[in-house]
Structures are given as C-alpha cells and as structure tokens.
Amino acid sequence: MSIAIKSPKRFINGPASHRKLSGFLTTVLLTVGVSAGALAETARGTVFEDLNLNGTLDDGEPRLQGIHVSNGRDIATTGEDGGYRIEMRDGDIIFVIKPTGYRTPMSAEMLPRFHYIHAPQGTPEAIKLRYPGLAPTGPLPEAINFPLVAQDESGPFEVILFADTQPQSDMEVDFIRDDVVAELIGTEAAFAVTIGDIMFDDLALFPRYNRIMSQMGVPVFNVPGNHELNFLSPDDRYSLETYKRLIGPPTYAWSYGGVHFIAVDNVDYKGFDAGREEPSYRGNGMYEGRVPDDALAFIEAYLSTIEKGDRIVLFHHIPLRTYQDPDAPNINTVNKADLFRILSGHTVYAAHGHTHTTEHHYFGTDDGFTGDTPLHSHVISTVSGSWWSGPNDARGVPLAMQRDGTPNGYHVARFDGRNMSVRFKPASLPASHQMRILFDSQFHQMAAPVFKDVRHGGLTAGRITGDQAASTDVLVNVFDGGPNTTVLLSVNGGGTIEMTRVEEPDPAAHELFERFSAQRKPWVKAEKSSHLYRADLPAGVRPGANTITVTATDEFGTEHTAHAVLEMEKAAP
C-alpha cells in the first residue's frame, strides 16, 4: 500500500492538505506538504531502462523499481512496475533523480535532460520579460516517462567545479572558451557543475555558452545564480523563466558513484521595482540568499531516503557565510539554520561561488549543525576571477586575478567511496601553481604613487638589502588555504617555522588593480584575503642568493611546495 509521510509544518505554505492515494499500490510516496490553495493535478509515468536509446518506453524494456521522482517538494518512489504518481501544480518541474549506475539522456550541448516543465499557460505575457520565458505546455500528458541508461560508476571519480563564468559580452565568452574549456577538452572527469552566475545578466549569450561548454565532452550540470534572473519579473516565482527554458529545474538532485549531489536555487529575488535605486542591475532588482520552503522540503524528503553515512554534496550559489561581510543578506544565506537542522547527522560538503573570493568555513553544534564532522562550506574560485578584469596575456585573455589574490580558475573534486578531496586548478597555469610568495620589505609597498618608480611586482620581489632584513616579512598566499591549513617556511634547507594566517589584502592583487585601473571593472578592488600567511624573515638568510621554501598542507590534507629565490645585498658597514 502507499505510505504518506508529512513534512514539518514550517515548510508548508498554508494548511496541510490530506490526499487520498489510489492505484500504483507498490509506489511509496513521501508527501511533504502542498498548499491548500494550489490547484494540483496528478502526474503519472514510468521510469525505465532505455535499452535501444530511443527515449521511448518500448515493449520488453525493464521497468525500474525504487527510483525517486520529484516535483521539487515531494518525492515519489517507483514500484515494481516502474510506475510513479505525484501531485503537480502549475509551474512545477517534475524530474527523475538519477540513481547511481545510470545516466539520463543528454542534449546536444551535453546538458542532462531529466525533467518535464508543467506550465500550461507558459510564462504570463503581461510580465513582458526581456528574454523569452516558457512556452505553454498545455495539459499534463497522460504519462511522463523517464528513460535511464545503465553505465559503470565503480571506482574513484572526479568532478569539475566551476563558479561565476559570468561573461558580460560575446568577447568574454571567448575568454571562457580559451582560458578554461580548451584545457579541459578530453577530461576524464565524470561531469562538471557550474554553481551560478553562469551569465552576467545577458541571457542571450546562453546558447553559445552551452555549445562551448559541451566541447569538454562531459555532462554539465548547472545551478542558477543572481545573474541568471529575469529582472523584470514581479517576484521570485517568474525570475528564472529563461533559465528553466534553456537549462531546466533550479533545484534537483542526482547520485553518482554512491555520492548524492543536491543543487539548490538559494537566490530569493524581491521583484522588479522601477523606483528602486540599484544601478548595478538592469531592472533595479534586489535579492537575498535564502533557501525557499519548497527546496527545504525537497532536501528533507530526499535525505530521508539516504543512509546517514553517505556523502552529501550541496551546491548553491550564495554562500552559507562569507568573510566579506557575514551579516549582509545578499552574500550570505539568511536561513541557513533551517538547512542545518535538515542536514544534521549527514556528512556534508557544500560548494558556492558569488563573492569572487576563495574561502573555507566549518559549521558545527554552535551553528545548529550536528554530525560526526562539521559541515564544510567551500566558496570556490571563480572562472571569471575579477569579472574578466586586468591586462591581457599573450593570448589576449585578461589575467583576471580574484580580489583576494587567487588566480581565476576552477576546482576538481575527487571521490573515492565516502572520502573526498578538492584541488584548485588555476586557469591556463600549471596545476602545481598553488601559492604566491612575496617579500614585504618596503613601508610604502601598497602605495599606488610609488608603483611608477618600479617595475610591476618590483616592490615585493626577491631582492632586499641587508639594511632591510630586520623589517622584511615573508608573505604567502595559499590560493585555496583556510583555517585548517598549515604553512611552513624554511631558508636554504634549514629548519622550518610556522607562518601565521592574517586577514589583509594581497599586495599582488592591489598592485595589479591599481596599475591597470583602465583594464578592470570599476567595482573591482583588492579585498582582505582569508588565506594569506605571514612570518618574519628568518635569521638564516645570508648575503647573496637564498632559497626560500614554503610547504603548505591544505584543508584536505594535500601538501603543496613552492620555492622563491631571495637575494640580499650586504648591509652598509
């Protein structure tokens, strides 16, 4: 018989409605609440193994039991006949949750196709969106079937993590193509995920962008950010109509190799207001970081189907918390406590973008999250760096250093059973380039007027006088460092000293943006970095050339080593 499980009332928009379930008696339905005022219909269908790859349920093709199907709030689980039934409201997107050992169909752009949009009337014409929304889909089909294809997902696997590709123009799409995609063609990663701000408001660039990303040859999952919004929408409901048409559901889940991935739209758009002064966004819109009630209900329902020890990977664009301003609602998730309550007891890694900084945060019992290990929140490096700012390299691509001094780039997550690690890859630079070693020896090294007196980087380069030795510090930016990173410094192969984590701007980022102010976006400036490490110049430095060695052990226990040569002239007699 069917089983109904009701979610906590805090996630129900209005009084709970009771449902009578009939048919598909082998289907288990996890009901997590539907608004009493919503007009609901029942969607039905079958999840099957598509042996001949034609996307159609044919005689003799296996019906798959135990597969989860969702409307973005509730989860239905298929019975022995592969059948499911689930309630649908106008505007819902029904999707299958890809299980381990199967794949979904793919579009020509390598976008997973696993959903059906129920928009009987389409996007209301009265809204007059700048970019096309959803065409009318008409009544629910008699059956919405989901094909799956078996694939091998055994053994360790890797996932490419992008954030904020964010092209503002066609030329900046060129930069994505040449700086990142070209080096990933032929990657052996299982798939890639872009965690929001895929675009920079110009949604007409989406089709070309999708075609370019497809050249990597792996499935590309996406999560919406605040720059995928339809700014002329009167509220959050219609703010992702173009995204849904081109990409798919904003909140969904899938499993690969026994790891559970959950994508969440946590950009709560407040709606178009022509009188609001917010010049940085067309349409004068405003938003905050918030996981909506339906998404909270979906996550809770999905986690109820997962073993506590399984690895959960959560993707949403706006971070849970950021060092830039922990109280600002537009760069932090304001209702993270609700999310922590649901996630408690699970092993969770969460990845975000948005701030164009690289950060690590850990949440535990003091924050409302309980588990054997803290929840690890990772604000990853952005593909666009400083929004494609800075001088061009030999290819004509901007250096695009992030405002915390991290090179633009992406991350690669590696999964081996329930274990995982993540490594940073700077775009178009060697994978070994994981830190920058600078020498803080001059009082005015951050003073822009002094830059004209020296070559670029000359104020922090590896040459000092003996008279400067006492006032010189070694400063290291470990690009993906964090509160658990240890950094050791040695000179000429001698003993090591531990460097101290400090919060201050990276002088390299500051100088880059000041020297090339005409080539940067006007809002870009160096911000405090959460992964800078400082130490006094060790006493072992001698006149002549010295080898400075820095060894960093990052948040995932991976060791990185870098060297610099420091020349010291003899002190005046």
Side-chain angles (χ1 to χ4, degrees):
M1 61 180 294
S2 300
I3 301 173
I5 302 175
K6 194 166 63 177
S7 72
K9 291 184 179 180
R10 73 176 70 186
F11 301 136
I12 301 176
N13 297 320
S17 61
H18 299 280
R19 313 174 201 185
K20 294 182 179 180
L21 305 179
S22 60
F24 288 94
L25 295 182
T26 56
T27 299
V28 177
L29 181 61
L30 303 179
T31 305
V32 293
V34 171
S35 300
L39 296 176
E41 303 176 76
T42 300
R44 299 172 174 82
T46 302
V47 182
F48 65 98
E49 185 176 357
D50 189 13
L51 297 179
N52 59 11
L53 306 181
N54 68 354
T56 302
L57 176 59
D58 298 313
D59 291 341
E61 290 187 317
R63 278 62 168 166
L64 299 177
Q65 183 180 9
I67 308 299
H68 303 308
V69 176
S70 179
N71 56 16
R73 297 175 305 279
D74 313 334
I75 289 180
T77 304
T78 59
E80 293 178 357
D81 58 357
Y84 73 88
R85 58 187 294 148
I86 195 167
E87 288 190 338
M88 293 285 286
R89 301 190 304 226
D90 187 343
D92 281 351
I93 303 179
I94 186 173
F95 56 89
V96 64
I97 299 176
K98 186 198 91 62
T100 288
Y102 290 90
R103 64 173 175 85
T104 66
M106 308 294 297
S107 74
E109 294 80 22
M110 297 301 290
L111 298 172
R113 304 286 80 174
F114 55 92
H115 64 279
Y116 174 83
I117 300 175
H118 179 50
Q121 306 302 319
T123 303
E125 293 184 6
I127 298 178
K128 299 186 183 302
L129 299 180
R130 181 181 179 90
Y131 302 98
L134 300 171
T137 60
L140 271 177
E142 182 177 341
I144 302 173
N145 300 327
F146 292 107
L148 295 174
V149 179
Q151 67 178 2
D152 181 18
E153 298 181 5
S154 60
F157 65 96
E158 293 189 338
V159 176
I160 301 166
L161 304 181
F162 297 128
D164 299 74
T165 45
Q166 209 162 346
Q168 196 172 21
S169 64
D170 253 320
M171 184 172 69
E172 292 185 354
V173 179
D174 295 350
F175 299 156
I176 299 169
R177 178 195 65 201
D178 299 340
D179 207 28
V180 174
V181 174
E183 73 176 34
L184 284 167
I185 292 173
T187 177
E188 296 183 357
F191 55 88
V193 184
T194 305
I195 313 172
D197 283 4
I198 309 161
M199 295 286 103
F200 196 163
D201 306 336
D202 188 348
L203 306 187
L205 297 175
F206 246 130
R208 181 181 172 225
Y209 168 88
N210 287 337
R211 291 192 296 270
I212 288 171
M213 295 293 283
S214 73
Q215 299 307 296
M216 293 184 295
V218 298
V220 181
F221 293 86
N222 290 282
V223 185
N226 50 289
H227 286 288
E228 281 72 67
L229 297 173
N230 292 104
F231 288 123
L232 297 181
S233 173
D235 51 31
D236 190 59
R237 175 178 178 181
Y238 297 107
S239 65
L240 289 172
E241 296 294 275
T242 303
Y243 178 90
K244 292 174 183 176
R245 174 175 63 87
L246 295 171
I247 303 297
T251 295
Y252 58 101
W254 71 101
S255 177
Y256 189 102
V259 179
H260 304 281
F261 300 90
I262 304 175
V264 179
D265 168 27
N266 76 328
V267 180
D268 183 14
Y269 182 54
K270 301 305 181 183
F272 173 73
D273 181 350
R276 182 181 293 139
E277 293 297 329
E278 181 66 20
S280 61
Y281 296 101
R282 182 180 296 277
N284 300 326
M286 296 289 284
Y287 63 90
E288 68 178 7
R290 179 181 295 276
V291 181
D293 287 352
D294 281 356
L296 289 170
F298 167 69
I299 295 169
E300 186 168 30
Y302 183 49
L303 292 183
S304 71
T305 71
I306 294 171
E307 293 184 17
K308 287 288 188 180
D310 287 357
R311 167 70 66 177
I312 308 297
V313 178
L314 186 67
F315 301 118
H316 53 80
H317 179 64
I318 297 178
L320 294 168
R321 183 168 64 206
T322 175
Y323 292 114
Q324 301 305 304
D325 185 349
D327 298 318
N330 64 327
I331 58 174
N332 299 271
T333 301
V334 298
N335 65 335
K336 56 181 169 287
D338 291 331
L339 190 60
F340 291 160
R341 184 189 62 78
I342 293 170
L343 294 169
S344 285
H346 291 276
T347 303
V348 183
Y349 166 83
H352 330 283
H354 193 51
T355 58
H356 297 250
T357 57
T358 305
E359 304 178 10
H360 292 269
H361 300 266
Y362 297 89
F363 297 95
T365 53
D366 290 344
D367 306 290
F369 176 82
T370 58
D372 293 338
T373 59
L375 185 152
H376 184 178
S377 171
H378 191 182
V379 184
I380 68 171
S381 176
T382 56
V383 171
S384 63
S386 52
W387 296 265
W388 298 114
S389 292
N392 292 344
D393 63 14
R395 303 167 301 161
V397 177
L399 292 181
M401 183 188 294
Q402 284 195 159
R403 51 190 183 161
D404 64 353
T406 304
N408 73 305
Y410 54 92
H411 288 72
V412 180
R414 186 178 191 275
F415 298 89
D416 187 358
R418 292 175 175 176
N419 299 317
M420 74 169 292
S421 61
V422 180
R423 65 182 185 272
F424 168 62
K425 173 58 176 67
S428 298
L429 290 170
S432 60
H433 183 59
Q434 294 292 316
M435 67 185 84
R436 178 184 302 112
I437 303 173
L438 303 174
F439 300 98
D440 180 359
S441 62
Q442 302 188 44
F443 188 86
H444 291 290
Q445 70 168 18
M446 297 285 277
V450 181
F451 294 154
K452 64 182 176 60
D453 298 329
V454 295
R455 67 172 176 84
H456 186 192
L459 290 173
T460 54
R463 185 175 182 180
I464 63 173
T465 68
D467 297 317
Q468 293 173 316
S471 60
T472 296
D473 285 351
V474 181
L475 190 62
V476 177
N477 190 335
V478 181
F479 302 135
D480 197 22
N484 295 328
T485 298
T486 59
V487 184
L488 302 177
L489 170 68
S490 68
V491 176
N492 298 323
T496 60
I497 61 172
E498 185 167 355
M499 303 187 73
T500 301
R501 182 168 170 247
V502 295
E503 293 186 14
E504 56 189 71
D506 184 328
H510 176 73
E511 181 178 358
L512 183 72
F513 299 148
E514 289 292 335
R515 277 188 182 270
F516 301 96
S517 58
Q519 285 80 45
R520 63 169 168 82
K521 302 291 170 66
W523 61 85
V524 172
K525 64 183 182 71
E527 303 284 359
K528 289 182 179 180
S529 173
S530 64
H531 38 81
L532 277 177
Y533 300 81
R534 182 179 287 276
D536 293 337
L537 185 68
V541 174
R542 61 192 178 221
N546 299 267
T547 296
I548 306 298
T549 300
V550 177
T551 303
T553 303
D554 68 18
E555 302 295 294
F556 300 94
T558 304
E559 186 175 287
H560 309 280
T561 301
H563 306 281
V565 175
L566 176 63
E567 295 180 90
M568 186 174 74
E569 300 174 2
K570 289 184 178 180

